[in-house]
Amino acid sequence: QVQKESKRNPCDQPRTSPSHTMALAPGVGKQLIVVSCYTRFDNLAHGPRGTEAQRSLYTYSMDPADGQMVLLSVTKDEVMNPAFSRFHPQKNLLYTCTESVAENGQIVTWKVCPETGRLSKLASSDAGGTSTCYLTLDRACENMLVVNYWDATIGVFGVDPKQGHVDTARSMFDPNNGRRMKARHDKHVNHSQNDHSAQAERQADPHSHAVILDSYFGRIAFVPDLGMDVIRQFRYDPEAGSLTAAGMIRSGPADQKALGPRYIEFHPTLPMCYVINELASEVSVFEFDLHEAQQLLNSSLDSLQHASPVIRLVQTIRTIPDAFPGNLNTCGRITVHCSGNFVLVSNRGHDSIAVFRVQHALPRAGMLSMVGNFHTRGATPRHFQFDGSGQWLITANQDSDRISVFRFNLANGRLDWTGHEYHVPSPNFVCNVQPHPEEAAELSDDKPSDAAAVALAAQHVVHGGLLQAGSLPRLASRL
């Protein structure tokens, strides 16, 4: 069921009430950073140690000259635990999904005002499962693929062609085939732990953690299953809005247990993809096979369950120092830098960003070598994000209520702390939002700036200081 908010101009702001919104500074480019927060801890699979947030989304503007940020807007709508965000590639819309093991997630559509950074709630849809954790728009932006971590379901939802909000589910795939989960939502281990007993319970059931589409055809979906140590493979039919299972691939070496695949991301130009194994603190490097992918897409429906894997494991590399105990760390995010020259991973426990250089020379094109680990200046970097230029990196340090800004050296991959640090309670996700200019002209020129908003912004600043390479198109929408 879709709940729509009443129509209003997203830039409209009553002058008589505190707005918690300030206008973008003159001369600052339209680079917005939206940070989401945990507002409630008792219904999460893991155990945050920071502060429960009273408001769920913070919007900043970033100065691309020095990486400093200014708080523009804080949402007033009560949305519980938004923990993943996706910005529409053509419309000024932001999608978030809520995280709870006890109740179904909500996919919330927000209108983004380019002039003020204000987020206005447009609609909300039931995600059809619990602990919703990942959203992917297909190439035509006609469907959204949605993952529910706790009950492992993967749904395909229609997107309203006019307003852009997420509509009702068109299909739902359940890797557990309707069986009841062994772990209970009201009695389970802390998923932040990584000892043998925690691993055993976390891997007693399937737990889908992400869904992406291949960057060549946009018709093959990959879903890391943290519980089963596999990458599930699907044929995606955008017209029918359906996913058909087409085999699976182990997310790491065959003789290794407790891998825990969390995320997967394709390289922007090379036929490679990278999987972060959360429990093992390792990156698995896979080669994408164009021939097998074409075979899968041409296969009959009956033969799909016997389809060959379209990705092949070629390397595994550790994300933390060898002397650091693996049971004290779990990995968070993985991303490929927009240059294609580096892969980065966050380590929760070691509290670092691991940076790897991507080799481009044959025969090791796409393989990784370690650059180094860089401390995040905070605890539990659940997520991190680059700005639009790729030179500034923002970390969400969940358990120390901080986001920190680093300068990324495009030549050698080093991260240098800028000294810019901002207080945000229990930050869990950082979204890079660059508003689309074609819509900005249609919005009103209302730019409120009141003393309350300026004071709120000020108090949040803690410190000031097998294809040929090049043949794969860039992903239409990156996190």
Side-chain angles (χ1 to χ4, degrees):
Q1 184 178 2
V2 180
Q3 297 179 350
K4 297 181 183 178
E5 301 297 308
S6 59
K7 282 191 175 181
R8 59 184 177 185
N9 188 316
C11 291
D12 286 346
Q13 187 74 31
R15 298 285 188 175
T16 57
S17 62
S19 65
H20 294 299
T21 304
M22 60 186 298
L24 288 170
V28 176
K30 296 295 191 295
Q31 171 65 75
L32 304 179
I33 301 295
V34 179
V35 183
S36 57
C37 311
Y38 284 123
T39 61
R40 181 180 164 189
F41 293 170
D42 66 331
N43 59 355
L44 296 174
H46 53 100
R49 303 191 309 273
T51 305
E52 288 186 347
Q54 294 182 350
R55 300 181 184 273
S56 57
L57 293 164
Y58 289 63
T59 303
Y60 291 83
S61 68
M62 170 173 271
D63 186 341
D66 60 8
Q68 288 199 69
M69 303 201 303
V70 175
L71 183 64
L72 299 181
S73 175
V74 181
T75 54
K76 293 187 290 184
D77 298 274
E78 293 187 4
V79 174
M80 176 196 65
N81 291 347
F84 188 97
S85 303
R86 175 79 67 181
F87 187 55
H88 195 288
Q90 287 99 35
K91 299 177 182 290
N92 286 324
L93 296 176
L94 180 73
Y95 304 97
T96 63
C97 57
T98 64
E99 182 180 342
S100 169
V101 298
E103 54 237 310
N104 277 10
Q106 296 294 311
I107 307 166
V108 183
T109 306
W110 305 84
K111 188 72 176 175
V112 181
C113 178
E115 299 304 313
T116 66
R118 176 181 170 86
L119 303 180
S120 299
K121 189 177 176 183
L122 183 65
S124 180
S125 303
D126 191 297
T130 50
S131 203
T132 310
C133 64
Y134 209 94
L135 308 172
T136 289
L137 283 165
D138 67 8
R139 281 187 174 181
C141 295
E142 295 176 351
N143 295 299
M144 179 171 281
L145 285 69
V146 177
V147 169
N148 299 303
Y149 168 78
W150 190 253
D151 54 15
T153 53
I154 308 116
V156 180
F157 291 72
V159 174
D160 183 85
K162 186 175 181 180
Q163 294 194 45
H165 64 266
V166 177
D167 218 320
T168 54
R170 302 183 66 189
S171 67
M172 191 71 69
F173 179 86
D174 179 8
N176 216 26
N177 298 313
R179 291 189 297 270
R180 187 174 181 177
M181 290 285 184
K182 296 175 183 177
R184 292 166 39 184
H185 71 82
D186 58 345
K187 187 179 180 181
H188 57 82
V189 297
N190 183 348
H191 285 215
S192 298
Q193 302 300 317
N194 198 26
D195 55 26
H196 290 303
S197 61
Q199 291 175 356
E201 183 173 313
R202 293 189 70 183
Q203 297 201 301
D205 299 301
H207 284 298
S208 306
H209 215 303
V211 58
I212 69 166
L213 296 170
D214 75 278
S215 59
Y216 187 77
F217 302 101
R219 295 284 306 278
I220 302 174
F222 299 94
V223 177
D225 186 331
L226 186 146
M228 298 291 103
D229 283 346
V230 298
I231 308 298
R232 298 186 186 274
Q233 191 171 263
F234 297 86
R235 186 166 70 186
Y236 169 59
D237 184 340
E239 287 76 26
S242 63
L243 292 167
T244 304
M248 61 186 71
I249 310 100
R250 188 165 175 79
S251 69
D255 59 348
Q256 192 170 335
K257 296 181 179 179
L259 297 166
R262 179 182 177 89
Y263 289 143
I264 177 173
E265 185 165 342
F266 271 82
H267 192 277
T269 57
L270 296 173
M272 310 293 288
C273 61
Y274 304 91
V275 173
I276 184 59
N277 286 306
E278 174 182 331
L279 305 182
S281 295
E282 291 178 344
V283 177
S284 288
V285 181
F286 288 86
E287 185 178 55
F288 180 73
D289 190 320
L290 175 62
H291 175 73
E292 291 294 349
Q294 189 70 69
Q295 290 286 103
L296 185 151
L297 293 175
N298 294 337
S299 297
S300 66
L301 192 63
D302 292 339
S303 62
L304 275 180
Q305 60 180 329
H306 304 297
S308 299
V310 303
I311 57 175
R312 180 175 63 88
L313 180 66
V314 294
Q315 184 191 15
T316 301
I317 188 168
R318 189 170 167 87
T319 70
I320 53 178
D322 290 339
F324 191 84
N327 64 347
L328 297 183
N329 188 72
T330 60
C331 291
R333 192 197 178 196
I334 186 169
T335 193
V336 184
H337 188 264
C338 58
S339 66
N341 293 330
F342 300 96
V343 169
L344 296 90
V345 173
S346 63
N347 290 305
R348 301 174 294 179
H350 190 251
D351 295 337
S352 68
I353 303 292
V355 182
F356 302 93
R357 181 179 291 277
V358 178
Q359 306 299 314
H360 287 273
L362 294 174
R364 291 181 54 82
M367 301 282 200
L368 303 180
S369 59
M370 173 64 84
V371 172
N373 289 93
F374 303 90
H375 197 275
T376 57
R377 304 286 174 158
T380 318
R382 184 175 183 83
H383 196 258
F384 63 91
Q385 181 62 270
F386 282 102
D387 78 319
S389 72
Q391 66 174 332
W392 306 108
L393 181 142
I394 306 100
T395 60
N397 297 312
Q398 171 191 295
D399 289 339
S400 53
D401 297 340
R402 293 288 188 274
I403 57 174
S404 301
V405 182
F406 296 81
R407 183 193 296 272
F408 184 69
N409 189 310
L410 299 175
N412 60 27
R414 289 188 58 83
L415 286 168
D416 296 313
W417 191 46
T418 61
H420 308 326
E421 189 177 39
Y422 307 87
H423 173 76
V424 178
S426 298
N428 57 38
F429 198 95
V430 182
C431 189
N432 169 19
V433 173
Q434 295 176 278
H436 305 295
E438 63 272 16
E439 290 195 8
E442 300 173 6
L443 299 173
S444 81
D445 196 34
D446 184 17
K447 300 180 180 181
S449 57
D450 53 65
V454 175
L456 184 60
Q459 75 180 25
H460 280 77
V461 180
V462 180
H463 295 294
L466 305 186
L467 295 168
Q468 292 183 351
S471 61
L472 281 172
R474 288 184 180 273
L475 296 174
S477 177
R478 299 172 69 86
L479 294 182

